[in-house]
Amino acid sequence: NGNCCTSVDDTMVLAYAVIMLNTDQHNQNVVKKATPMTVKASKNNLRGCNGGVDFDADKLQAVFDSIHHNEF
């Protein structure tokens, strides 16, 4: 998908965020004290985590949609 991350560390942050989003959206063993994460909250969690700038908003939207609709 090209160079969406500015460093290896940013790649790891994004990968971890994807794992946590998937857990939030689909793991029935997680106690739900609130509604599942929204796309806005997901993007806010990664604000400034790509070498001090934001990840591409369209790519984050596509990742969220894929996880939310269980397309992975």
Side-chain angles (χ1 to χ4, degrees):
N1 289 337
N3 296 325
C4 70
C5 300
T6 59
S7 74
V8 174
D9 290 339
D10 299 331
T11 304
M12 297 299 288
V13 168
L14 181 58
Y16 188 76
V18 167
I19 292 167
M20 295 307 297
L21 178 60
N22 190 58
T23 301
D24 176 74
Q25 296 289 311
H26 300 294
N27 191 332
Q28 298 302 317
N29 295 324
V30 175
V31 177
K32 295 290 184 180
K33 294 185 179 182
T35 57
M37 188 180 303
T38 63
V39 68
K40 182 178 178 182
S42 179
K43 288 178 182 179
N44 283 341
N45 285 340
L46 290 167
R47 192 172 348 132
C49 290
N50 190 17
V53 298
D54 295 345
F55 288 99
D56 181 80
D58 292 335
K59 287 186 181 184
L60 291 180
Q61 179 74 49
V63 168
F64 181 89
D65 290 343
S66 293
I67 291 172
H68 183 71
H69 298 296
N70 206 17
E71 296 173 0
F72 269 117

